[in-house]
Amino acid sequence: MSTSVEKSAFGDMKYDDGKLVADIIFDDFADALEEVMKVADGGAKKYKRSSWRTIKDPSIRYQGARARHFTKSFREKVDKDSKLSHLAHEAWNCLALLQLEIENDRG
């Protein structure tokens, strides 16, 4: 979280205390995020955009896919079907699981 206070030449101030530094994830993980975007794009083209939300038992399915890609990442870098990184697939599955958990907790 940010702890800065910014004062402009006009004398006004912007307080960022307690706010998340949103751009840090894009600065630090731009390449990794692009790989995850490729996985998301491939899934949207292969199935349908956001169809991951409507499958039966999504948490069970994404836990399984996450585990499969994690396990395969030790033996091979790239998924044979998509030609994308197993770690990017695993990250996508983690994001899907996290999103489902947040939405479920929200009610």
Side-chain angles (χ1 to χ4, degrees):
M1 294 210 181
S2 177
T3 57
S4 66
V5 177
E6 200 174 291
K7 190 170 184 178
S8 76
F10 303 105
D12 54 340
M13 297 177 79
K14 181 166 181 350
Y15 294 91
D16 288 334
D17 276 357
K19 294 181 181 176
L20 295 174
V21 182
D23 61 332
I24 197 167
I25 195 164
F26 301 107
D27 289 341
D28 291 355
F29 302 107
D31 297 326
L33 288 170
E34 186 172 345
E35 293 304 305
V36 176
M37 283 187 265
K38 289 176 186 176
V39 171
D41 185 63
K45 288 176 181 168
K46 184 175 180 179
Y47 305 106
K48 183 181 170 190
R49 184 175 177 158
S50 300
S51 64
W52 64 272
R53 296 173 165 279
T54 60
I55 68 168
K56 185 179 178 184
D57 300 320
S59 292
I60 293 168
R61 302 276 298 278
Y62 298 127
Q63 285 285 13
R66 174 186 170 207
R68 284 191 299 278
H69 284 289
F70 174 73
T71 302
K72 285 187 174 187
S73 73
F74 288 94
R75 295 190 311 267
E76 58 191 29
K77 183 178 177 180
V78 174
D79 179 76
K80 290 176 182 166
D81 294 329
S82 69
K83 309 294 188 254
L84 299 171
S85 162
H86 280 295
L87 292 176
H89 279 280
E90 183 187 359
W92 185 93
N93 281 284
C94 288
L95 287 171
L97 288 164
L98 179 59
Q99 185 65 36
L100 290 169
E101 181 178 280
I102 290 167
E103 291 175 3
N104 186 54
D105 289 350
R106 213 181 276 151

